[in-house]
Amino acid sequence: MPTALITGVTGQDGSYLAEHLLSLGYTVYGLVRGQANPKRPLIESMLPDVKLVEGDLLDQTSLINVVQQTQPDEVYNLGAISFVPLSWNQAELTAEITGLGVLRLLEAIRLVAGASPSRPQSERTIKFYQASSSEMFGKAREMPQTEQTPFYPRSPYGVAKVYGHHITVNYRESYGIFACSGILFNHESPRRGLEFVTRKISLGAARIKLGKQKELVMGNMDSKRDWGFAGDYVRAMHLMLQQPEPDDYVVSTGEAHSPWEFADLAFKVVGLNAKDHIRIDSQFIRPAEVDYLLGDPSKAREKLGWQPSVTFSELVQMMVESDLQQESKAS
Ligand code: GDP
């Protein structure tokens, strides 16, 4: 049975991917960092079958040791500083983790697997998946965005992800590593971090309905995002590494919606009107905005046979109902 190593296993995508790979019979290792990482007990109780190993995307030696120790067939790099506004406040750390962290992991794979361009495909032992992002398209040069669309990142996060994408492609071309870059558009779920717009709205709608919160204070509600369900998107990550050749793929739904549309549906689920409860405040407006992202998932559909299974309105409903249930239980 194959073995996988996941960085970012304590995050939304890490938990869905670990569940998916465990269901396929994989042995799954998850990288956790830091002393007394507060997310560790959560992942231990939620996914007891994931074997946790210690290491850090900032520490080259720790990554070499972990790859050596776990001998994975597949490495999924989901670890990153992933919240766009934070990347302006900690731009250098974002470059180190979200950007250079990819290089360190690729170096660990190269050193442990002994990758070289002359080795035949069948002997290239460790496959690599890089979590690239639609934020790389930023001020989008064309609509919809495909694997060929030029990048124009609009935040230190987007810039770091562009580096991660290019170094992944470069290590594939330089050393023959089976490395894929998945350009995933925004993907959400009840496990999404509370700082992201979808979860902030779903939780806010639930709490306002229950009388636990008075209003929801938001930033720019007119941007557009191509939002899908994270549980669908981790299937695409795995499929990329099962192809005969490594490649890059856009993963998206092909539909764009605004935070206002998300909020309208979310408040409708709890029988309220979004406009009555939302206040716009400049504290949530970003130094530079990504106005409109819309992905063209044709290649993923045709080559991977991948399709999303959850529609936009189903996603909103799933998130609000989950928050309503949790908030009803919590004091
Ligand atoms: P991103 O696409 O990775 O930046 O995902 P987010 O969920 O953080 O933001 C999506 C969009 O929602 C962006 O255009 C934000 O400017 C917009 N937005 C509006 N209000 C808020 C807010 O209060 N929090 C967040 N996170 N985003 C907001």
Side-chain angles (χ1 to χ4, degrees), residues 169-227:
V169 174
N170 181 258
Y171 267 51
R172 177 168 80 216
E173 293 173 358
S174 302
Y175 301 113
I177 293 178
F178 191 111
C180 298
S181 174
I183 307 174
L184 270 53
F185 282 61
N186 297 49
H187 42 285
E188 319 295 313
S189 73
R191 300 182 197 168
R192 187 59 143 150
L194 302 175
E195 64 276 32
F196 292 90
V197 76
T198 54
R199 188 74 199 290
K200 187 171 166 182
I201 294 171
S202 66
L203 182 66
R207 287 178 60 85
I208 289 170
K209 174 68 182 176
L210 296 169
K212 291 175 138 187
Q213 189 173 321
K214 285 212 157 51
E215 61 174 2
L216 193 51
V217 186
M218 304 297 303
N220 171 23
M221 297 288 284
D222 297 313
S223 58
K224 293 257 180 148
R225 291 291 184 274
D226 183 330
W227 278 300

Side-chain angles (χ1 to χ4, degrees), residues 56-71:
D56 199 312
L57 287 169
L58 293 172
D59 183 336
Q60 180 71 75
T61 311
S62 75
L63 297 178
I64 296 169
N65 286 339
V66 162
V67 174
Q68 183 82 56
Q69 181 196 329
T70 58
Q71 292 289 321

